[in-house]
Amino acid sequence: MAKIVGRKINKEDINEDRFQKMIAERAYCKSEKRGFVAGHEMEDWLEAEWEIKNQYFYWFQDVE
């Protein structure tokens, strides 16, 4: 997961390839935590995608 500390994050800091990699890493961790039991690949991916999208949304909210 990208760590950007000490400055404001710009949308350009995370491109589509990086975004997909973040999802893949999160899905892998979910599978690993479960012991790599087969049959949950899509569930892991969709949950990871939802989590990363929510995190991404939070990062780029305009707070005034």
Side-chain angles (χ1 to χ4, degrees), residues 23-36:
I23 294 169
E25 289 172 356
R26 180 77 57 95
Y28 179 88
C29 289
K30 289 178 169 296
S31 182
E32 181 180 42
K33 189 174 182 179
R34 194 181 339 86
F36 298 106

Side-chain angles (χ1 to χ4, degrees), residues 1-37:
M1 176 103 65
K3 289 186 179 182
I4 302 173
V5 181
R7 67 180 178 89
K8 184 176 176 163
I9 300 171
N10 296 315
K11 289 184 183 182
E12 294 79 29
D13 289 333
I14 303 173
N15 64 26
E16 184 64 29
D17 290 336
R18 180 65 185 142
F19 189 69
Q20 290 297 315
K21 185 174 182 195
M22 291 168 71
I23 294 169
E25 289 172 356
R26 180 77 57 95
Y28 179 88
C29 289
K30 289 178 169 296
S31 182
E32 181 180 42
K33 189 174 182 179
R34 194 181 339 86
F36 298 106
V37 175

Side-chain angles (χ1 to χ4, degrees), residues 31-53:
S31 182
E32 181 180 42
K33 189 174 182 179
R34 194 181 339 86
F36 298 106
V37 175
H40 298 276
E41 296 84 2
M42 182 64 73
E43 177 184 344
D44 291 340
W45 185 270
L46 293 175
E47 284 181 11
E49 185 176 44
W50 182 83
E51 291 171 5
I52 296 297
K53 282 182 179 179

